[in-house]
Amino acid sequence: HKPAFKTLLFDGILRHDEFVIVEACLVSGGRHIILYLFFCRSLMRAGVSILLIQAVAVGVATAGDAPAQLPRSELAAIFRVMADLLGDPTWPQLHPRPCTDTPWPGLQCELAPDDSTRLRATRLHFGPDVSTPPCRPGARLAAPAILGLPHLRTLSLFGCFVDAGPVELPPVLFTNASSLEQLVLKSNPGLTGRIPATLTNLKSLQVLSLSQNGFHGEIPRELGGLTALQQLDLSYNNIT
């Protein structure tokens, strides 16, 4: 039996590396069927149009009871973070809705307190308990991707930066608009440079753990302005 779908709405398009991800909504009477369609960009450039259908119909709901969703801007930011740290080109295909139908264990989302139809990404964790290795060789921590997750309260990275190529914490990563309450970066010998003084902008920060990394230089005096801070660990670095 062929369903009599009345409307096909394309809600948005996300492009990530080699994949184009199209979010569509089929409407039939009072039922909404949410589809995620995946196209391979390199094949499209070669004149081959192939649709990967293995992730079709990832969610079904009635019009009056639509599932809560992550805003597209935050979803795009998560895809960028995963590309920077994991480097797996199939990640968006495997986890098109990482907060609900296709979850990833290192990501936690919560309902927005003022809108029951929206989710917020509130926790990101990378470590050997989530994936092996925790991050790809040459992983980087790019500020634009993290700043695209304004409701993030916990960011933790264990054993991500172990290569010889040094990685530094971007000072622009820590702004007054951040919601971070816990920042835990441990066992990252490739994470070097100075501890950013801009950490003082994190007015809600309660836990700051930067142990077993490669930081050097002096401890910023500005950290004394973190009035909400309850736990501080800067051990096993090269700081003075």
Side-chain angles (χ1 to χ4, degrees):
H1 300 284
K2 295 183 178 180
F5 291 116
K6 295 182 179 180
T7 310
L8 176 61
L9 302 174
F10 287 93
D11 294 329
I13 296 178
L14 293 175
R15 293 177 175 83
H16 182 270
D17 294 338
E18 279 298 302
F19 293 97
V20 177
I21 306 167
V22 179
E23 177 187 320
C25 179
L26 290 174
V27 182
S28 176
R31 295 174 63 81
H32 287 200
I33 299 179
I34 301 169
L35 306 178
Y36 277 78
L37 313 177
F38 298 85
F39 298 87
C40 182
R41 298 177 68 183
S42 59
L43 291 176
M44 288 192 293
R45 285 195 295 269
V48 180
S49 181
I50 294 182
L51 176 63
L52 305 178
I53 325 226
Q54 50 263 56
V56 169
V58 296
V60 178
T62 63
D65 188 26
Q69 297 186 29
L70 196 67
R72 284 198 284 280
S73 60
E74 290 191 51
L75 182 61
I78 288 172
F79 286 165
R80 289 196 298 270
V81 171
M82 296 305 170
D84 291 339
L85 294 176
L86 295 183
D88 181 0
T90 66
W91 200 94
Q93 180 183 348
L94 297 174
H95 306 279
R97 304 187 71 176
C99 291
T100 53
D101 304 274
T102 54
W104 187 70
L107 174 66
Q108 179 178 320
C109 302
E110 299 176 12
L111 281 174
D114 56 345
D115 188 347
S116 61
T117 67
R118 283 182 175 268
L119 293 170
R120 293 175 170 178
T122 57
R123 179 180 181 269
L124 262 180
H125 167 67
F126 296 83
D129 56 324
V130 174
S131 58
T132 304
C135 294
R136 67 177 175 87
R140 59 196 180 99
L141 195 60
I146 299 296
L147 292 176
L149 301 171
H151 307 292
L152 199 64
R153 296 203 301 266
T154 299
L155 176 62
S156 58
L157 292 89
F158 289 72
C160 266
F161 309 111
V162 296
D163 293 347
V167 176
E168 296 189 10
L169 276 182
V172 296
L173 187 61
F174 310 111
T175 71
N176 291 320
S178 175
S179 300
L180 274 180
E181 297 176 357
Q182 299 187 47
L183 178 62
V184 181
L185 310 176
K186 299 182 67 173
S187 302
N188 299 286
L191 188 59
T192 64
R194 295 178 177 272
I195 296 174
T198 52
L199 283 166
T200 191
N201 291 327
L202 304 179
K203 302 304 182 184
S204 299
L205 195 65
Q206 300 175 21
V207 175
L208 177 60
S209 180
L210 304 178
S211 68
Q212 303 175 48
N213 298 309
F215 291 115
H216 59 79
E218 297 181 352
I219 298 175
R221 295 176 179 270
E222 290 83 355
L223 295 187
L226 294 171
T227 56
L229 196 64
Q230 301 176 16
Q231 179 180 332
L232 175 65
D233 185 357
L234 304 178
S235 61
Y236 297 100
N237 283 282
N238 298 312
I239 54 179
T240 57

